[in-house]
Structures are given as structure tokens and as C-alpha cells.
Amino acid sequence: MLAQLCTPRSLATARAAVGVIMLTRPGLLPAVLGVDRATRERMSWALQMLGAREVALGAGALLARKEPRLWYTAGLLSDAADAVAVTSALRSGRVSAPAGAALVAIAAGAAGIQADALRR
């Protein structure tokens, strides 16, 4: 059941949706991660840039009907980098442990889904 829900296509849809949220509510993700209000406000532009990346990667994977492998590779690299960056933030105490660990797990899982799709 979980394998049916965690497909590259569903991941691309979720990625695009998260990107829209990051574009329209850039303070939401940092708030969930326990980042203080002043820092959230200072970094809102960066979250909007990341949101645009998520929309582009998600839409690209969804629209690439014949050969989505390039988009899956880009998503895998992006998710792996996210997992590394959030792990670093966790280790330095810049994000809350529960939310940061959850985000690392999500990013690593997404990278795994795309790696699996590329192997097939």
C-alpha cells in the first residue's frame, strides 16, 4: 500500500504543492522547524527561491511523460542536498530536533523513491 502511494508521480505532485506553499507562505516551514520569527522574516526570500525550485522540479517530472529520468535525477540530487543541509542544521542546533529529523527522513525517503525509479 505504501509503495503505491510513494511513486515518483505522487512525489512530483507533492513537491509542486509544497513549492506553492513555500512561495505563498515562506515562513511556514521555518516556523515548523522552530526558527525564530526574526530569522524567518529575514530568510523568507530564500524560502521563496526554494519554493520555485520545488514547483519547477515537480512540474517538470509531471510533464515529462516520455523521459522523466532527468527530472528524477534532479529531484534526487536536490533531496539528498536537503537531507545533508538539514542534518547539518540539526547538529548545530539551528532547527528543532523532532521537526528537523522528520524533514531529513522525508528528504531521504524522497531521494530513495527517485533512486528506485531510476534503477527501473
Side-chain angles (χ1 to χ4, degrees), residues 27-111:
L28 184 61
L29 179 60
V32 169
L33 291 170
V35 175
D36 66 88
R37 173 178 239 125
T39 303
R40 288 193 311 258
E41 289 174 7
R42 284 193 307 271
M43 65 189 292
S44 65
W45 63 271
L47 268 292
Q48 288 175 316
M49 285 177 26
L50 291 172
R53 174 194 83 171
E54 294 302 310
V55 170
L57 288 171
L62 288 170
L63 296 172
R65 299 228 184 261
K66 288 193 176 192
E67 188 51 53
R69 293 180 61 79
L70 178 63
W71 291 101
Y72 294 165
T73 301
L76 183 149
L77 294 172
S78 172
D79 291 330
D82 290 349
V84 169
V86 177
T87 297
S88 175
L90 267 169
R91 288 185 177 151
S92 66
R94 292 179 300 198
V95 298
S96 77
L103 189 55
V104 169
I106 290 167

